[in-house]
Structure formats: C-alpha cells, structure tokens
Amino acid sequence: AQDAGEYTCDSGDQQTTASLQVKVLPVLFNKELRNIETEEGGTAVLRCEVSKPDAPVEWRKGGVVIEPSDKYEVKLKGSVAELIIRGVEPDDC
C-alpha cells in the first residue's frame, strides 16, 4: 500500500521513527448471488455486493471467464457487481 513505510517525528533535537504496515483486507460478499428465472429471449440480471467499492470481480460460467459482448454486459457500480445476459436461451443455463 502507498501509505506503508517509515514515518519520523523530528523535534529539532531528537527524532523518533516508526514503521507503518498496512494489512490488505480480503474482498468479501456482503450480498451473494441469488437464483433467478427468466423467460426465453428475455434479459437476466445477476447481482452481488462486495465489501470493497470498485473491487475487480470476474464473472464465470462453468469455470469459463465471461468476456463482455453484445450478449453479456458487466457492470461495477461502487460495491455492486452486475452481469446482464441479453436474449437468454436454454443453452445459457
């Protein structure tokens, strides 16, 4: 972290120095994904909330990373991550 390092307090006659270490907190889910049901041809929105705003998240289907496309839109607004699936087909399940 950019704030980690050594800091010194200097009185002119004396100095005292301390080291600051910053512990990086894990990104946790405040709200997990929920199962949804959507009609064929419709739009499905999967949404979850993470503990750190703007933390990078990765969406996967069956272990394969989903890349943004006309069908898949990935949004991250603050701590809310969304995957929008357009034109849902049975094969998308």
Side-chain angles (χ1 to χ4, degrees), residues 33-38 42-48 59 73 75 77 80-86 88:
L33 290 174
R34 291 186 180 180
N35 295 335
I36 59 172
E37 192 173 300
T38 304
T43 298
V45 180
L46 292 166
R47 182 181 293 116
C48 62
W59 289 92
E73 183 181 353
K75 287 185 175 181
K77 295 181 282 189
V80 177
E82 288 183 343
L83 173 65
I84 300 164
I85 308 168
R86 294 188 172 83
V88 173

Side-chain angles (χ1 to χ4, degrees), residues 15-76:
Q15 288 183 351
T16 182
T17 301
S19 177
L20 170 63
Q21 294 180 339
V22 180
K23 182 179 177 184
V24 178
L25 296 174
V27 178
L28 306 174
F29 288 104
N30 291 339
K31 290 184 183 174
E32 296 188 353
L33 290 174
R34 291 186 180 180
N35 295 335
I36 59 172
E37 192 173 300
T38 304
E39 290 184 2
E40 186 175 1
T43 298
V45 180
L46 292 166
R47 182 181 293 116
C48 62
E49 187 176 322
V50 292
S51 58
K52 280 187 181 180
D54 301 317
V57 298
E58 190 173 76
W59 289 92
R60 292 191 291 269
K61 180 189 176 220
V64 179
V65 175
I66 295 173
E67 298 292 341
S69 63
D70 290 341
K71 183 174 190 70
Y72 297 109
E73 183 181 353
V74 175
K75 287 185 175 181
L76 183 60

